[in-house]
Amino acid sequence: MDLGISGRRAIVCASSKGLGRGCAEALAREGVNVVINGRNEAEVKRTADAIRTNHKVEVTTVAADVTTPEGRSAILKSCPDPDILITNAGGPPPGDFRDLDEVDWANGLVPNLISPIMLIKATVDGMAARGFGRIVNITSRSVKTPLYHLPLSNAARAGLTGMIAGLARQVAKDNVIINNILPGPFTTDRQMVPLRKRAGELGISYEELVSRETEQVPARRFGSPEEFGNMCAYLCSAHIGFVVGQNILMDGGGFASTV
Ligand SMILES: NC(=O)c1ccc[n+]([C@@H]2O[C@H](COP(=O)([O-])OP(=O)(O)OC[C@H]3O[C@@H](n4cnc5c(N)ncnc54)[C@H](OP(=O)(O)O)[C@@H]3O)[C@@H](O)[C@H]2O)c1
C-alpha cells in the first residue's frame, strides 16, 4: 500500500536507536524526509548515514537533548514546518514513589509529558494551517496497566494521553491527526540491557532469562523496532484521517482485555 506521504517532512525525536529509529526507518522507506535526533552525536550520524544509504530521502541530524528547551529549539530550527512529528525520549528511571521529592517529580515529568507537549504546541497550528499533520506519541503500555517500579512513567504517560485525548479531537477537522502507540516489550537497548544485568544477578544465562520473559507474552516473543516503525508509518499515512486520538497497544497480547 502506498501510504501517500512521500516528500513529507518528519521530526522523529530520540531516533538514533530503538523505537524512534524504527519509526524513522519506516518513514524514510515511504519517501519521507526525516530529522534524526539523539544526544550522542556519533550515534546520530551513524543512524543518519545508514538511512541515507538505504533510502533516497533527505536526512537531517540534530544531536541535542529533546528534554531541554535548547534541544527542542535546535530540533525545530532544523525543520520549522514539519508535516509529521514523532515525540519520544528516553524513559524515566525506575524507583519507589516514596523516594521521590517534589523536585524529582517536577523534573521527572519533563521527558515524557512536558517535552512532547511543548513540541506539539510549536508545530500543531502550522500543520492545521497547511491542512495536513500527523503526530504520533510514543508512550507505554503503562497507560493501560501500571508498571509498579515506574511511577514517573505511569504518571507522565497517562498525563500526556489525557491531554492528547482533548487536543486530537480539536484539530482533526484540519486534517491534523494525533494518536499514541503504547509499546510493551521490544528488543531495544532499553529493554534488553537491563535483562542482561538481571540475568547476572539471578545467576542464569541471558538467553534463559529472555526465554522466561517471552513466556509471559502471548505472542511468545518481544516486538521488533521494525514492526513498531511500520505501525508508526501507517499512523502517519494519508489513510488515517478517521482514526483520531487513539491508543494503539503493541504488546504481543500481554494486556488481557476483551475490548
Ligand atoms: N523498548 C521497550 O520495550 C519499551 C516499552 C515501553 C516503553 N518504552 C518507551 O519508549 C521510549 C523509547 O524506548 P527505546 O526502547 O527505543 O529506548 P532505547 O533503545 O534506549 O533508545 C532511546 C533513543 O532515544 C535517544 N534519547 C534518549 N534520551 C534522549 C534525550 N533526552 N534527547 C534526545 N534523544 C534521547 C537515545 O539516544 P541518546 O542516548 O544518544 O540520547 C536513543 O536514540 C522510551 O520512552 C521508553 O521508556 C519502551
Side-chain angles (χ1 to χ4, degrees):
M1 182 194 280
D2 178 358
L3 296 188
I5 48 177
S6 181
R8 297 282 183 190
R9 296 172 306 259
I11 292 175
V12 188
C13 300
S15 50
S16 62
K17 289 199 290 183
L19 303 180
R21 177 171 177 164
C23 296
E25 299 251 15
L27 288 168
R29 191 194 60 219
E30 296 302 320
V32 174
N33 302 313
V34 291
V35 174
I36 300 296
N37 160 247
R39 291 162 301 179
N40 181 311
E41 192 167 10
E43 205 70 60
V44 169
K45 282 191 174 150
R46 224 185 332 270
T47 297
D49 286 344
I51 293 177
R52 282 188 198 106
T53 303
N54 294 329
H55 310 285
K56 290 194 176 356
V57 296
E58 281 173 31
V59 183
T60 308
T61 58
V62 184
D65 185 339
V66 71
T67 68
T68 65
E70 300 75 26
R72 290 191 293 275
S73 287
I75 294 168
L76 291 165
K77 204 170 154 203
S78 77
C79 183
D81 298 315
D83 303 301
I84 294 168
L85 169 68
I86 313 301
T87 75
N88 186 27
D96 190 304
F97 95 97
R98 294 170 190 80
D99 299 327
L100 302 171
D101 63 21
E102 205 167 328
V103 175
D104 295 328
W105 274 98
N107 293 335
L109 294 179
V110 170
N112 306 112
L113 176 63
I114 308 299
S115 178
I117 289 173
M118 290 299 109
L119 285 164
I120 292 168
K121 185 179 171 195
T123 53
V124 73
D125 290 338
M127 291 177 178
R130 294 188 299 278
F132 181 93
R134 299 289 184 261
I135 299 176
V136 174
N137 302 295
I138 300 179
T139 65
S140 168
R141 67 180 151 166
S142 70
V143 171
K144 286 268 189 190
T145 182
L147 303 174
Y148 299 124
H149 62 298
L150 288 170
L152 285 167
S153 178
N154 294 336
R157 317 289 194 180
L160 180 63
T161 304
M163 204 288 283
I164 294 302
L167 179 65
R169 288 163 175 85
Q170 289 175 300
V171 296
K173 66 181 186 325
D174 300 312
N175 193 24
V176 179
I177 302 300
I178 314 181
N179 290 292
N180 309 314
I181 310 181
L182 288 53
F186 277 80
T187 54
T188 65
D189 284 359
R190 178 166 170 89
Q191 178 75 21
M192 306 314 273
V193 172
L195 282 187
R196 206 168 277 285
K197 187 166 166 249
R198 234 178 79 218
E201 288 162 3
L202 292 170
I204 59 173
S205 72
Y206 170 71
E207 290 71 22
E208 171 62 20
L209 184 57
V210 170
S211 162
R212 283 189 199 175
E213 292 283 323
T214 51
E215 270 301 302
Q216 313 301 316
V217 183
R220 296 291 186 272
R221 64 179 180 86
F222 293 155
S224 73
E226 291 74 23
E227 58 194 336
F228 189 91
N230 288 338
M231 174 62 80
C232 178
Y234 185 64
L235 289 175
C236 295
S237 76
H239 314 300
I240 205 72
F242 212 54
V243 178
V244 173
Q246 296 303 299
N247 292 282
I248 312 297
L249 181 62
M250 290 185 77
D251 71 343
F255 176 70
S257 64
T258 304
V259 292

